[in-house]
């Protein structure tokens, strides 16, 4: 049951995040060179209707500016709105709200990588 919820909710969140940038769940696949801007998150699930914080990392390669990272964070901010957003399918509904803090810079990975992360508050309803 929990395995199903983690897989299914992860697929739904992955699909939703993919509208903002190339998205990876977990670590980057071996041998893959990521797009210049990409998102990363990990699977997670909790009790029915229990909210949890889902950190989403935003990376931009080949730059010394945080501008593109902030643009992606801003697009996600606008999509979530102040009242949250409901995504899902016939079986699972997921409410996404903004966490606090919503955005933070990550320490520089190297000279030409800029990164930040956003905190989403996720509540999963339904599932087997």
């Amino acid at each position: 049951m929990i395995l199903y919820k983690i897989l299914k909710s992860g697929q739904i969140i992955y699909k939703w995040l993919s509208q903002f940038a190339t998205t990876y769940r977990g670590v980057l696949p071996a041998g893959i060179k990521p797009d210049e801007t990409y998102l990363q998150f990990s699977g997670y699930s909790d009790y029915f209707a229990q909210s949890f914080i889902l950190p989403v990392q935003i990376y931009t390669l080949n730059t010394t500016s945080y501008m593109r990272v902030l643009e992606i964070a801003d697009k996600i901010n606008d999509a979530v709105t102040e009242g949250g957003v409901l995504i899902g399918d016939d079986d699972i509904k997921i409410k996404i709200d903004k966490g606090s803090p919503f955005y933070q810079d990550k320490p520089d990975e190297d000279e030409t990588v800029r990164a930040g992360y956003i905190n989403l508050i996720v509540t999963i309803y339904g599932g087997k």
Side-chain angles (χ1 to χ4, degrees), residues 63-77:
T63 186
T64 57
S65 170
Y66 280 93
M67 184 57 72
R68 184 72 180 132
V69 171
L70 294 170
E71 287 172 352
I72 297 296
D74 198 42
K75 286 181 182 179
I76 296 171
N77 177 67

Side-chain angles (χ1 to χ4, degrees), residues 110-124:
D110 72 26
E111 297 171 352
T112 62
V113 176
R114 293 296 174 259
Y117 67 92
I118 57 171
N119 288 309
L120 301 175
I121 298 175
V122 174
T123 310
I124 301 171

Side-chain angles (χ1 to χ4, degrees), residues 37-48:
T37 301
Y38 65 94
L39 307 175
Q40 246 181 316
F41 76 101
S42 295
Y44 187 83
S45 184
D46 209 337
Y47 295 107
F48 175 79

Side-chain angles (χ1 to χ4, degrees), residues 7-9 20 28 40 49 52 64-65 67 72 94 123 126:
L7 291 173
K8 185 71 173 180
S9 62
F20 305 107
L28 293 176
Q40 246 181 316
F52 59 89
T64 57
S65 170
M67 184 57 72
I72 297 296
I94 301 171
T123 310

Side-chain angles (χ1 to χ4, degrees), residues 11-126:
Q11 291 170 346
I12 293 168
I13 292 169
Y14 173 89
K15 183 178 178 183
W16 183 76
L17 286 172
S18 292
Q19 69 182 310
F20 305 107
T22 300
T23 301
Y24 297 96
R25 181 173 172 180
V27 298
L28 293 176
I32 298 293
K33 183 178 183 332
D35 289 344
E36 191 167 295
T37 301
Y38 65 94
L39 307 175
Q40 246 181 316
F41 76 101
S42 295
Y44 187 83
S45 184
D46 209 337
Y47 295 107
F48 175 79
Q50 183 75 28
S51 298
F52 59 89
I53 294 176
L54 180 70
V56 177
Q57 300 169 58
I58 306 167
Y59 291 93
T60 302
L61 308 177
N62 305 318
T63 186
T64 57
S65 170
Y66 280 93
M67 184 57 72
R68 184 72 180 132
V69 171
L70 294 170
E71 287 172 352
I72 297 296
D74 198 42
K75 286 181 182 179
I76 296 171
N77 177 67
D78 291 347
V80 173
T81 74
E82 294 305 316
V85 65
L86 189 64
I87 62 174
D89 61 17
D90 292 338
D91 190 36
I92 290 181
K93 299 294 183 210
I94 301 171
K95 178 140 192 284
I96 300 175
D97 291 292
K98 297 175 196 173
S100 179
F102 176 69
Y103 171 84
Q104 288 181 282
D105 288 341
K106 284 186 66 161
D108 292 345
E109 302 276 320
D110 72 26
E111 297 171 352
T112 62
V113 176
R114 293 296 174 259
Y117 67 92
I118 57 171
N119 288 309
L120 301 175
I121 298 175
V122 174
T123 310
I124 301 171
Y125 300 97

